[in-house]
Structure formats: structure tokens, C-alpha cells
């Protein structure tokens, strides 16, 4: 009996390890690419509908901070990069507590910088602060997605699953299928195979032509073959 249990644990660990390493790098793609697109979209939308000049001044200031931080960053050596990060974070301080879109932008940029420094706990705090700065904005799913990524880096799968699920349920979110796959993956890694299977099936049903649905179908086949689901 003990041998059977040992074999079962080994199988679960093996499956968990495979899923844990599966496309891990995709968790951070959004930080560099999608965040830039969202920031640009936010700026464009606000400059057309903004009513208060204070918003414009704040957004312009953050644009300037971001520009100074990112200009020719690919050629910066390690000491120069650290100096840029510290300078940008210092410049963002007056805007982080603002309860408007300026605060959202400031905290998102601060979160990205902290993530690049691999300070995942601080990055998580900024992503959550960005959410609190202004409720019901269309950048919230991005913040939840990245909060989930930070939580995974901190080995907090419970919060990671929670944040991925919120992002996945935001129908306006362009990466909702990715978020749903990550939710299922985290559940599988945590050993909750039934919840993972339910999420994988939902992904296949709701996004039948999506690449993440194809991966979800592969995971369902593997889980069934390994005896973790019926």
C-alpha cells in the first residue's frame, strides 16, 4: 500500500513539475509588451476625454519619467540601469498616492520597474495599488494578470489563481484566454486537478480556436492519461 502511495505522489510531483515549467516565460511577456500598449492606449483615450488640466500635467510628467527611464536602455550597463531605476522610482513618488488615472499609471510603471529588479513583493504591491487608485478601469485586468504573475514568483499559488481568475473573467481583456489557462495551470500545479480540468474545459469550450485552448486540450488528455481525472 505504501508503495502505491509513493508512486502516486511521484506521479503527481512529476506532473506538477512539468506544468510548473510549462511556458513560464509567457507570464512576463505582458510586462514589457502589453503594458506598453495599454499605457499608450490609456494616454490616447484620456487626452481626448480629459477635463482637468491636472490629469494632463500628471500624465505628461509620468510620460517624461518613462521616456527618460527607457531611452537607450538596451545599451545601459548594470550600474547605469540601477541608477535609472532608482531615479525613476524617486520621480514617481509624488504620483503614487493619487486616486485617479495618474496614480494608476504611476503605480503600473513602478510595478514594472520593481519586477525588472526581481523585487516581486514590491511589484505586487504596486499592481494592487494601481487597481485601488481608480476602480473599474479597463487596465484592471492587466494589473490583476501581473499581480498573479508576481504571486507565482512568490510561491503564493492561492493568490495567483485568484488574480488570474479575475483577469480571465474580464471579457474586455485581450488576454483573457491566457489568464484562464494560467489559472488552470496554477490549480494543476497545486494539485487541484478537478478545478484545473474544469478550467481547461471551459477554455476549450469558450475559445475553441485559440492557441491556449489547444494547449488546454493537451493538458486534459495528459491528466486523463495519468489517471488524475476521469
Amino acid at each position: 500500500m505504501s508503495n502505491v502511495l509513493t508512486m502516486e505522489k511521484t506521479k503527481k510531483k512529476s506532473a506538477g513539475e512539468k506544468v510548473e515549467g510549462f511556458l513560464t516565460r509567457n507570464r512576463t511577456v505582458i510586462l514589457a509588451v502589453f503594458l506598453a500598449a495599454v499605457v499608450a492606449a490609456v494616454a490616447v483615450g484620456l487626452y481626448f476625454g480629459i477635463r482637468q488640466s491636472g490629469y494632463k500635467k500628471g500624465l505628461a510628467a509620468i510620460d517624461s519619467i518613462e521616456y527618460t527611464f527607457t531611452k537607450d536602455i538596451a545599451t545601459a550597463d548594470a550600474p547605469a540601469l540601477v541608477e535609472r531605476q532608482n531615479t525613476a522610482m524617486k520621480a514617481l513618488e509624488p504620483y503614487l498616492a493619487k486616486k485617479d488615472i495618474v496614480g494608476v499609471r504611476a503605480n503600473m510603471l513602478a510595478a514594472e520597474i520593481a519586477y525588472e529588479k526581481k523585487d516581486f513583493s514590491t511589484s505586487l504591491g504596486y499592481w494592487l495599488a494601481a487597481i485601488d487608485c481608480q476602480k473599474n478601469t479597463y487596465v484592471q485586468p492587466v494589473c490583476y494578470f501581473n499581480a498573479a504573475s508576481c504571486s507565482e514568483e512568490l510561491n503564493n499559488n492561492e493568490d495567483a489563481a485568484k488574480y488570474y481568475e479575475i483577469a480571465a473573467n474580464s471579457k474586455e481583456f485581450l488576454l483573457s484566454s491566457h489568464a484562464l489557462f494560467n489559472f488552470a495551470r496554477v490549480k494543476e500545479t497545486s494539485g487541484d486537478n478537478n478545478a484545473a480540468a474544469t478550467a481547461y474545459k471551459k477554455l476549450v469550450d469558450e475559445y475553441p480556436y485559440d492557441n491556449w485552448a489547444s494547449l488546454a486540450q493537451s493538458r486534459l488528455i495528459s491528466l486523463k492519461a495519468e489517471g488524475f481525472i476521469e
Side-chain angles (χ1 to χ4, degrees), residues 27-28 31 115 144-154 160 164:
R27 301 207 307 262
T28 61
L31 293 169
Y115 197 100
Y144 276 118
F145 187 103
N146 288 319
S149 176
C150 291
S151 296
E152 275 201 86
E153 295 290 354
L154 295 168
Y164 279 135

Side-chain angles (χ1 to χ4, degrees), residues 77-192:
D77 58 19
L81 179 59
V82 171
E83 183 177 354
R84 285 191 184 207
Q85 291 170 336
N86 293 338
T87 299
M89 294 296 283
K90 182 70 174 177
L92 286 170
E93 285 180 3
Y95 306 100
L96 294 172
K98 292 186 177 296
K99 296 299 182 180
D100 52 32
I101 195 61
V102 176
V104 174
R105 286 275 317 272
N107 278 282
M108 289 176 75
L109 181 54
E112 183 182 8
I113 293 171
Y115 197 100
E116 289 177 353
K117 295 169 66 176
K118 299 189 183 301
D119 186 353
F120 302 117
S121 180
T122 299
S123 182
L124 172 61
Y126 285 129
W127 287 120
L128 297 178
I131 293 167
D132 290 336
C133 282
Q134 192 173 52
K135 300 295 185 182
N136 301 320
T137 63
Y138 60 88
V139 298
Q140 282 200 355
V142 179
C143 297
Y144 276 118
F145 187 103
N146 288 319
S149 176
C150 291
S151 296
E152 275 201 86
E153 295 290 354
L154 295 168
N155 297 315
N156 186 342
N157 283 349
E158 182 177 354
D159 281 350
K162 177 176 68 175
Y163 297 141
Y164 279 135
E165 186 173 29
I166 294 173
N169 289 334
S170 301
K171 298 304 180 184
E172 304 82 7
F173 186 35
L174 295 178
L175 299 181
S176 57
S177 61
H178 188 174
L180 182 55
F181 180 87
N182 281 359
F183 168 77
R185 174 178 54 76
V186 171
K187 283 294 186 180
E188 185 180 349
T189 301
S190 301
D192 193 346

Side-chain angles (χ1 to χ4, degrees), residues 34-48 105 138-139:
F34 191 70
L35 177 60
V38 169
V39 166
V42 170
V44 171
L46 286 171
Y47 278 119
F48 282 98
R105 286 275 317 272
Y138 60 88
V139 298

Side-chain angles (χ1 to χ4, degrees), residues 45-56 59:
L46 286 171
Y47 278 119
F48 282 98
I50 216 110
R51 293 182 179 180
Q52 299 182 31
S53 61
Y55 287 175
K56 288 185 178 180
L59 290 170

